[in-house]
mmCIF file of all heavy atoms in Angstrom:
data_model
loop_
_atom_site.group_PDB
_atom_site.id
_atom_site.type_symbol
_atom_site.label_atom_id
_atom_site.label_comp_id
_atom_site.label_asym_id
_atom_site.label_seq_id
_atom_site.Cartn_x
_atom_site.Cartn_y
_atom_site.Cartn_z
ATOM 1 N N LYS A 479 8.305 -146.042 326.262
ATOM 2 C CA LYS A 479 8.332 -144.994 325.280
ATOM 3 C C LYS A 479 7.339 -143.931 325.474
ATOM 4 O O LYS A 479 7.638 -142.740 325.475
ATOM 5 C CB LYS A 479 8.207 -145.563 323.853
ATOM 6 C CG LYS A 479 8.350 -144.573 322.724
ATOM 7 C CD LYS A 479 8.494 -145.213 321.411
ATOM 8 C CE LYS A 479 7.349 -146.007 320.891
ATOM 9 N NZ LYS A 479 7.436 -146.503 319.513
ATOM 10 N N GLU A 480 6.142 -144.300 325.848
ATOM 11 C CA GLU A 480 5.042 -143.364 326.002
ATOM 12 C C GLU A 480 5.161 -142.562 327.329
ATOM 13 O O GLU A 480 4.946 -141.360 327.370
ATOM 14 C CB GLU A 480 3.678 -143.968 325.848
ATOM 15 C CG GLU A 480 3.413 -144.514 324.449
ATOM 16 C CD GLU A 480 2.020 -144.964 324.208
ATOM 17 O OE1 GLU A 480 1.199 -144.893 325.211
ATOM 18 O OE2 GLU A 480 1.647 -145.394 323.127
ATOM 19 N N VAL A 481 5.565 -143.286 328.342
ATOM 20 C CA VAL A 481 5.775 -142.686 329.700
ATOM 21 C C VAL A 481 6.841 -141.631 329.658
ATOM 22 O O VAL A 481 6.741 -140.515 330.138
ATOM 23 C CB VAL A 481 5.969 -143.725 330.765
ATOM 24 C CG1 VAL A 481 6.302 -142.985 332.106
ATOM 25 C CG2 VAL A 481 4.771 -144.594 330.954
ATOM 26 N N ILE A 482 8.013 -142.032 329.128
ATOM 27 C CA ILE A 482 9.163 -141.103 329.149
ATOM 28 C C ILE A 482 8.909 -139.939 328.166
ATOM 29 O O ILE A 482 9.310 -138.807 328.459
ATOM 30 C CB ILE A 482 10.455 -141.890 328.778
ATOM 31 C CG1 ILE A 482 10.814 -142.858 329.940
ATOM 32 C CG2 ILE A 482 11.642 -140.876 328.521
ATOM 33 C CD1 ILE A 482 12.131 -143.504 329.803
ATOM 34 N N THR A 483 8.310 -140.158 327.043
ATOM 35 C CA THR A 483 7.975 -139.106 326.141
ATOM 36 C C THR A 483 7.019 -138.062 326.866
ATOM 37 O O THR A 483 7.315 -136.840 326.749
ATOM 38 C CB THR A 483 7.269 -139.650 324.830
ATOM 39 O OG1 THR A 483 8.101 -140.449 324.158
ATOM 40 C CG2 THR A 483 6.779 -138.514 323.991
ATOM 41 N N LYS A 484 6.012 -138.597 327.554
ATOM 42 C CA LYS A 484 5.147 -137.657 328.338
ATOM 43 C C LYS A 484 5.957 -136.966 329.412
ATOM 44 O O LYS A 484 5.772 -135.760 329.615
ATOM 45 C CB LYS A 484 3.965 -138.499 328.925
ATOM 46 C CG LYS A 484 3.097 -137.704 329.857
ATOM 47 C CD LYS A 484 2.302 -136.610 329.230
ATOM 48 C CE LYS A 484 1.250 -137.184 328.245
ATOM 49 N NZ LYS A 484 0.446 -136.138 327.624
ATOM 50 N N ALA A 485 6.741 -137.698 330.195
ATOM 51 C CA ALA A 485 7.414 -137.086 331.311
ATOM 52 C C ALA A 485 8.436 -136.005 330.899
ATOM 53 O O ALA A 485 8.524 -134.996 331.540
ATOM 54 C CB ALA A 485 8.184 -138.177 332.125
ATOM 55 N N MET A 486 9.056 -136.236 329.734
ATOM 56 C CA MET A 486 10.054 -135.223 329.317
ATOM 57 C C MET A 486 9.432 -134.032 328.560
ATOM 58 O O MET A 486 10.160 -133.170 328.098
ATOM 59 C CB MET A 486 11.133 -135.986 328.464
ATOM 60 C CG MET A 486 11.987 -136.952 329.266
ATOM 61 S SD MET A 486 12.796 -136.259 330.760
ATOM 62 C CE MET A 486 13.989 -135.209 329.936
ATOM 63 N N GLN A 487 8.135 -134.075 328.423
ATOM 64 C CA GLN A 487 7.448 -132.866 327.892
ATOM 65 C C GLN A 487 6.949 -131.976 329.046
ATOM 66 O O GLN A 487 6.569 -130.843 328.815
ATOM 67 C CB GLN A 487 6.248 -133.310 327.044
ATOM 68 C CG GLN A 487 6.676 -133.951 325.726
ATOM 69 C CD GLN A 487 5.461 -134.539 324.945
ATOM 70 O OE1 GLN A 487 4.357 -134.617 325.539
ATOM 71 N NE2 GLN A 487 5.653 -134.886 323.745
ATOM 72 N N ILE A 488 6.996 -132.521 330.257
ATOM 73 C CA ILE A 488 6.521 -131.782 331.434
ATOM 74 C C ILE A 488 7.607 -130.754 331.847
ATOM 75 O O ILE A 488 8.802 -131.130 331.999
ATOM 76 C CB ILE A 488 6.166 -132.687 332.571
ATOM 77 C CG1 ILE A 488 4.997 -133.652 332.195
ATOM 78 C CG2 ILE A 488 5.891 -131.934 333.826
ATOM 79 C CD1 ILE A 488 4.727 -134.728 333.168
ATOM 80 N N PRO A 489 7.256 -129.532 332.020
ATOM 81 C CA PRO A 489 8.320 -128.542 332.542
ATOM 82 C C PRO A 489 8.922 -128.901 333.757
ATOM 83 O O PRO A 489 8.332 -129.508 334.685
ATOM 84 C CB PRO A 489 7.486 -127.231 332.636
ATOM 85 C CG PRO A 489 6.225 -127.451 331.855
ATOM 86 C CD PRO A 489 5.916 -128.877 331.878
ATOM 87 N N GLY A 490 10.179 -128.565 333.897
ATOM 88 C CA GLY A 490 10.981 -128.876 335.067
ATOM 89 C C GLY A 490 10.364 -128.256 336.304
ATOM 90 O O GLY A 490 10.488 -128.807 337.472
ATOM 91 N N SER A 491 9.719 -127.108 336.124
ATOM 92 C CA SER A 491 9.109 -126.454 337.272
ATOM 93 C C SER A 491 7.958 -127.208 337.929
ATOM 94 O O SER A 491 7.615 -126.858 339.070
ATOM 95 C CB SER A 491 8.566 -125.071 336.830
ATOM 96 O OG SER A 491 7.622 -125.219 335.771
ATOM 97 N N LEU A 492 7.543 -128.232 337.295
ATOM 98 C CA LEU A 492 6.485 -129.156 337.834
ATOM 99 C C LEU A 492 7.064 -130.417 338.353
ATOM 100 O O LEU A 492 6.391 -131.241 338.888
ATOM 101 C CB LEU A 492 5.358 -129.414 336.811
ATOM 102 C CG LEU A 492 4.422 -128.284 336.549
ATOM 103 C CD1 LEU A 492 3.383 -128.655 335.489
ATOM 104 C CD2 LEU A 492 3.703 -127.778 337.770
ATOM 105 N N LYS A 493 8.308 -130.638 338.089
ATOM 106 C CA LYS A 493 9.055 -131.813 338.643
ATOM 107 C C LYS A 493 9.626 -131.570 340.058
ATOM 108 O O LYS A 493 9.701 -132.499 340.848
ATOM 109 C CB LYS A 493 10.124 -132.207 337.676
ATOM 110 C CG LYS A 493 9.582 -132.783 336.412
ATOM 111 C CD LYS A 493 10.612 -133.290 335.445
ATOM 112 C CE LYS A 493 9.991 -133.847 334.140
ATOM 113 N NZ LYS A 493 10.932 -134.442 333.191
ATOM 114 N N ILE A 494 9.954 -130.306 340.310
ATOM 115 C CA ILE A 494 10.304 -129.943 341.655
ATOM 116 C C ILE A 494 9.606 -128.623 341.890
ATOM 117 O O ILE A 494 9.828 -127.657 341.211
ATOM 118 C CB ILE A 494 11.819 -129.808 341.906
ATOM 119 C CG1 ILE A 494 12.151 -129.375 343.370
ATOM 120 C CG2 ILE A 494 12.534 -128.986 340.902
ATOM 121 C CD1 ILE A 494 13.575 -129.577 343.755
ATOM 122 N N LYS A 495 8.721 -128.604 342.891
ATOM 123 C CA LYS A 495 7.876 -127.436 343.159
ATOM 124 C C LYS A 495 7.720 -127.372 344.655
ATOM 125 O O LYS A 495 7.495 -128.404 345.301
ATOM 126 C CB LYS A 495 6.550 -127.517 342.446
ATOM 127 C CG LYS A 495 5.648 -126.341 342.654
ATOM 128 C CD LYS A 495 4.362 -126.541 341.845
ATOM 129 C CE LYS A 495 3.393 -125.356 342.078
ATOM 130 N NZ LYS A 495 2.102 -125.531 341.320
ATOM 131 N N GLN A 496 7.738 -126.197 345.249
ATOM 132 C CA GLN A 496 7.549 -126.007 346.696
ATOM 133 C C GLN A 496 8.604 -126.840 347.442
ATOM 134 O O GLN A 496 8.332 -127.393 348.495
ATOM 135 C CB GLN A 496 6.117 -126.314 347.137
ATOM 136 C CG GLN A 496 5.068 -125.455 346.474
ATOM 137 C CD GLN A 496 3.708 -125.995 346.656
ATOM 138 O OE1 GLN A 496 3.484 -127.059 347.244
ATOM 139 N NE2 GLN A 496 2.725 -125.351 346.059
ATOM 140 N N ASN A 497 9.759 -127.011 346.811
ATOM 141 C CA ASN A 497 10.896 -127.784 347.344
ATOM 142 C C ASN A 497 10.582 -129.291 347.426
ATOM 143 O O ASN A 497 11.220 -130.029 348.097
ATOM 144 C CB ASN A 497 11.297 -127.329 348.712
ATOM 145 C CG ASN A 497 12.781 -127.577 349.010
ATOM 146 O OD1 ASN A 497 13.585 -127.530 348.103
ATOM 147 N ND2 ASN A 497 13.081 -127.937 350.190
ATOM 148 N N ILE A 498 9.498 -129.754 346.721
ATOM 149 C CA ILE A 498 9.150 -131.177 346.708
ATOM 150 C C ILE A 498 9.682 -131.793 345.389
ATOM 151 O O ILE A 498 9.230 -131.434 344.302
ATOM 152 C CB ILE A 498 7.593 -131.297 346.799
ATOM 153 C CG1 ILE A 498 7.102 -130.697 348.135
ATOM 154 C CG2 ILE A 498 7.237 -132.747 346.656
ATOM 155 C CD1 ILE A 498 5.588 -130.621 348.182
ATOM 156 N N SER A 499 10.593 -132.691 345.555
ATOM 157 C CA SER A 499 11.063 -133.476 344.359
ATOM 158 C C SER A 499 9.981 -134.402 343.850
ATOM 159 O O SER A 499 9.132 -134.906 344.625
ATOM 160 C CB SER A 499 12.301 -134.291 344.726
ATOM 161 O OG SER A 499 13.355 -133.456 345.126
ATOM 162 N N LYS A 500 9.977 -134.731 342.573
ATOM 163 C CA LYS A 500 8.922 -135.515 341.936
ATOM 164 C C LYS A 500 7.562 -135.009 342.166
ATOM 165 O O LYS A 500 6.552 -135.807 342.283
ATOM 166 C CB LYS A 500 9.099 -137.018 342.370
ATOM 167 C CG LYS A 500 10.302 -137.720 341.813
ATOM 168 C CD LYS A 500 10.714 -138.915 342.542
ATOM 169 C CE LYS A 500 9.893 -140.129 342.427
ATOM 170 N NZ LYS A 500 10.498 -141.266 342.989
ATOM 171 N N TYR A 501 7.430 -133.724 342.225
ATOM 172 C CA TYR A 501 6.151 -133.065 342.597
ATOM 173 C C TYR A 501 5.004 -133.572 341.724
ATOM 174 O O TYR A 501 3.932 -134.065 342.254
ATOM 175 C CB TYR A 501 6.255 -131.560 342.462
ATOM 176 C CG TYR A 501 4.916 -130.841 342.658
ATOM 177 C CD1 TYR A 501 4.485 -130.550 343.924
ATOM 178 C CD2 TYR A 501 4.163 -130.438 341.546
ATOM 179 C CE1 TYR A 501 3.268 -129.850 344.068
ATOM 180 C CE2 TYR A 501 2.975 -129.841 341.670
ATOM 181 C CZ TYR A 501 2.557 -129.486 342.995
ATOM 182 O OH TYR A 501 1.336 -128.828 343.167
ATOM 183 N N ILE A 502 5.155 -133.564 340.434
ATOM 184 C CA ILE A 502 4.030 -133.898 339.518
ATOM 185 C C ILE A 502 3.650 -135.366 339.617
ATOM 186 O O ILE A 502 2.484 -135.724 339.562
ATOM 187 C CB ILE A 502 4.331 -133.448 338.050
ATOM 188 C CG1 ILE A 502 3.081 -133.384 337.234
ATOM 189 C CG2 ILE A 502 5.371 -134.358 337.414
ATOM 190 C CD1 ILE A 502 2.114 -132.287 337.635
#
């Protein structure tokens, strides 16, 4: 619950950045 809540508050631009998936 705490991990997914935290993860889904992170902007998508930090989940894929510089063409790197799972960047953050």
Side-chain angles (χ1 to χ4, degrees):
K479 183 167 64 172
E480 294 190 359
V481 173
I482 292 186
T483 297
K484 173 66 69 176
M486 294 305 290
Q487 290 173 349
I488 296 172
S491 58
L492 288 177
K493 293 184 178 182
I494 180 166
K495 183 179 176 181
Q496 300 165 2
N497 207 35
I498 299 173
S499 297
K500 285 161 74 171
Y501 172 85
I502 197 68

